[in-house]
Amino acid sequence: MVGKIIAFGGLVVIVMPMVLLAAEMVRFGRGKAWARKQFENDRAEKFRNWGATERLEILPLIDWYAAKEGLLTEGGVSYLLKTDTRTILFDLGFNYPARSHPSPLLQNMARLGIRLDDIDTIVISHDHPDHVGGRKWQARKSFSLSSTQVDLGGTAVYTPVPMTYPGLQPVVTEAPTRIGEGIATIGTIPNQLFMAGWTVEQALAVNVAGKGVVLIVGCGHQTLPRILERTEALFDEPIYGVVGGLHYPVSDSRITPLGFKIQKYLGTGKVPWQPITRQEVFENIACLQKRHPRLVGLSPHDSCDESLDAFRTAFPQAYRDIRVGEAICVSRGTG
Ligand SMILES: [Zn+2]
Ligand SMILES: [Zn+2]
């Protein structure tokens, strides 16, 4: 009897993971098909008269590399965007692994002389922990600049999925939405990620007068070709630049809990046993080169150094490193 129980237990241990894997593969396949269908059925209406800004400054507050000593880095994203009329905090970093208060984001803000009062708008690209301020906030369908939620006054907030924050009423921007003079979210584009599930992400578009549209991207789970296609469907202005995360962890992963290269095997929109290849990175580069961008900056938070080098080489004039504390500026008079 005992022998039978042990044999049955052994069978369960062997069979259960296979059953779970099969179930995940079915879910993944269905999700991919549904995301493709949603994107193909999307009929984005042209944005006209959405305004423009004379100047755009993108100041990375959180990312993997820093421009100066004394600034903190981590595998997350937070960029401060300044236009003629708005000061936008795009994503809120990871606050990982320390989960500290003040967080690396708040500490960097203090060192760079940025006050909370300076920020009038927050845009969240998607609800992954490296963009909403940590796992705790992701689990609560919320977001935070630190391990406690600071008073954000009357800050306007735009999120890709429903989220809450004490005292604020975030607006869900599933559809493309103008949020200020020459500033719009291109709306959400979904993708199915293995294990991580259905992921809905938005990118921000800023129209710089005399230049064109600069795209600010979080993790890039939407995929670069779809982001470019959506942007061209929405705006008459040419794509001037793309700055942010596009998820090309080919040879390495920045986040490695217990040694597991999580970005390389999960989060790519592919099955773990077929990670992103160099060839795919070059195909994406070719897709971007067709648009002749004048500004390209790939976030190191979810791409390996090899992919950063590939972009640097492919766009020798346009490429800008994304480094905490080093502003990237575009204005009518530059370039
Ligand atoms: Zn990310
Ligand atoms: Zn992500």
Side-chain angles (χ1 to χ4, degrees), residues 126 128 130-131 219 221:
H126 65 305
H128 278 177
D130 52 328
H131 297 257
C219 247
H221 297 300

Side-chain angles (χ1 to χ4, degrees), residues 31-110:
K32 291 297 286 185
W34 182 237
R36 192 181 319 112
K37 196 169 171 197
Q38 273 206 12
F39 185 75
E40 284 167 0
N41 289 344
D42 189 66
R43 293 279 168 268
E45 288 210 7
K46 270 280 184 220
F47 262 62
R48 294 209 168 84
N49 305 318
W50 58 301
T53 180
E54 289 289 322
R55 188 168 187 282
L56 167 65
E57 180 186 303
I58 304 163
L59 178 65
L61 299 178
I62 286 293
D63 212 314
W64 189 252
Y65 291 120
K68 316 167 195 165
E69 293 242 337
L71 292 168
L72 301 172
T73 59
E74 58 177 20
V77 160
S78 182
Y79 303 150
L80 189 74
L81 315 176
K82 285 192 212 167
T83 71
D84 298 347
T85 54
R86 300 291 275 263
T87 301
I88 302 166
L89 192 58
F90 180 84
D91 286 343
L92 306 177
F94 201 167
N95 198 3
Y96 175 86
R99 301 187 188 95
S100 56
H101 182 69
S103 62
L105 172 59
L106 288 184
Q107 292 183 57
N108 284 347
M109 282 172 61

Side-chain angles (χ1 to χ4, degrees), residues 146-289:
S146 196
S147 60
T148 61
Q149 288 177 312
V150 295
D151 182 5
L152 291 173
T155 307
V157 184
Y158 300 93
T159 60
V161 290
M163 290 184 180
T164 60
Y165 194 95
L168 297 182
Q169 290 184 313
V171 176
V172 181
T173 39
E174 189 181 345
T177 308
R178 182 184 188 272
I179 64 174
E181 185 66 23
I183 308 163
T185 155
I186 67 166
T188 59
I189 299 174
N191 202 350
Q192 181 78 20
L193 307 183
F194 201 83
M195 299 300 286
W198 187 249
T199 302
V200 171
E201 182 165 349
Q202 64 178 339
L204 209 56
V206 180
N207 185 22
V208 180
K211 297 290 194 219
V213 177
V214 177
L215 286 164
I216 320 293
V217 188
C219 247
H221 297 300
Q222 307 101 310
T223 75
L224 180 62
R226 286 184 183 169
I227 292 170
L228 297 175
E229 197 179 313
R230 166 74 63 85
T231 304
E232 286 169 336
L234 284 174
F235 310 112
D236 287 330
E237 294 82 3
I239 293 172
Y240 183 83
V242 180
V243 174
L246 291 170
H247 209 94
Y248 303 126
V250 175
S251 56
D252 211 349
S253 172
R254 307 298 187 187
I255 314 289
T256 52
L258 303 172
F260 177 66
K261 296 183 178 184
I262 193 163
Q263 289 163 316
K264 182 169 176 177
Y265 297 110
L266 303 177
T268 61
K270 300 175 73 184
V271 289
W273 48 95
Q274 289 175 340
I276 299 249
T277 63
R278 281 183 195 96
Q279 179 61 27
E280 285 169 299
V281 174
F282 286 121
E283 284 166 12
N284 276 242
I285 285 174
C287 180
L288 188 54
Q289 279 174 323

